[in-house]
Amino acid sequence: MKQFREAVEARDAQAMQALLADDVVFTSPVAFKPYPGKAITSAILRGVLRVFTDFRYVREINDEGGRDSALIFEANVNGKAVTGCDFIHVNDDGKIDDFMVMVRPLSGAQALAEAMGAQFDQIAAEAAAETTDGAN
């Protein structure tokens, strides 16, 4: 998805969030259960911006209908090289409603799990604040 790719490459968390559906489901490469909802997904994506260095998309694959995309990326996490893919589906409104990430190699996934684990308290707090702010 071109708009999401541009937002990530610009490190624009607000633009990334604006592309998410309220009922988006985020599936992490390092967590067993998916994370439902815009607030937690936005907070996770901000956390990813904090832990990935030298992030770059290297390939984009889109279906003919424009609803499914695969964005292949390379990055570093705590000195470990990671190759991954963002699998994105958009709903009828053009908003991301399904977002799944896969990464390799195992050492990179382990470094990512450790780095994101260290971010989790901040991620949870940001999501809770966003949910509270959105309810007022």
Side-chain angles (χ1 to χ4, degrees):
M1 164 179 218
K2 183 180 179 200
Q3 300 94 328
F4 185 78
R5 179 179 182 161
E6 290 171 349
V8 172
E9 289 171 339
R11 301 183 64 83
D12 186 341
Q14 287 183 322
M16 292 164 50
Q17 182 175 354
L19 294 167
L20 300 175
D22 290 339
D23 63 347
V24 64
V25 175
F26 180 84
T27 305
S28 165
V30 296
F32 178 73
K33 292 174 70 174
Y35 295 93
K38 186 174 186 173
I40 190 67
T41 300
S42 296
I44 290 168
L45 292 174
R46 288 190 299 273
V48 169
L49 289 176
R50 292 188 292 268
V51 303
F52 276 156
T53 58
D54 300 323
F55 184 93
R56 64 211 163 275
Y57 283 116
V58 296
R59 188 169 177 204
E60 182 173 345
I61 304 166
N62 299 293
D63 74 337
E64 288 183 26
R67 298 204 41 186
D68 289 291
S69 300
L71 302 172
I72 302 164
F73 64 84
E74 295 175 348
N76 289 296
V77 179
N78 292 337
K80 296 282 185 184
V82 174
T83 301
C85 190
D86 294 337
F87 294 97
I88 296 171
H89 181 269
V90 297
N91 62 19
D92 290 339
D93 297 324
K95 300 283 187 177
I96 298 169
D97 63 359
D98 187 51
F99 193 120
M100 180 175 58
V101 181
M102 294 186 165
V103 297
R104 65 163 309 279
L106 178 59
S107 61
Q110 290 168 328
L112 180 59
E114 182 179 312
M116 289 301 289
Q119 295 278 322
F120 192 76
D121 287 344
Q122 182 176 350
I123 288 168
E126 288 177 11
E130 189 173 316
T131 301
T132 302
D133 291 344
N136 291 333

